[in-house]
Amino acid sequence: MVHLKINNIPVEVKEGSTILEAAKVAGINIPTLCYLKDTNQIGACRSVR
């Protein structure tokens, strides 16, 4: 487990979690245009068919 603080709120998440996942655990909403967990490094949000 990783221990960190976001906005001075202690958060504990498993190793490899993203900042967005940690913020969600802490109840903090971070607005995003697109977030697909398994997206490659390009970060393209369109779906592949």
Side-chain angles (χ1 to χ4, degrees):
M1 297 301 272
V2 177
H3 300 270
L4 61 128
K5 286 186 178 183
I6 303 175
N7 291 348
N8 216 22
I9 299 169
V11 184
E12 181 179 337
V13 293
K14 58 184 183 173
E15 190 170 331
S17 297
T18 66
I19 294 296
L20 288 175
E21 292 167 338
K24 184 176 181 182
V25 168
I28 299 168
N29 180 40
I30 299 177
T32 59
L33 293 176
C34 177
Y35 173 65
L36 300 173
K37 183 177 181 190
D38 298 318
T39 304
N40 60 21
Q41 288 124 353
I42 295 170
C45 293
R46 63 185 159 172
S47 60
V48 178
R49 294 180 190 209

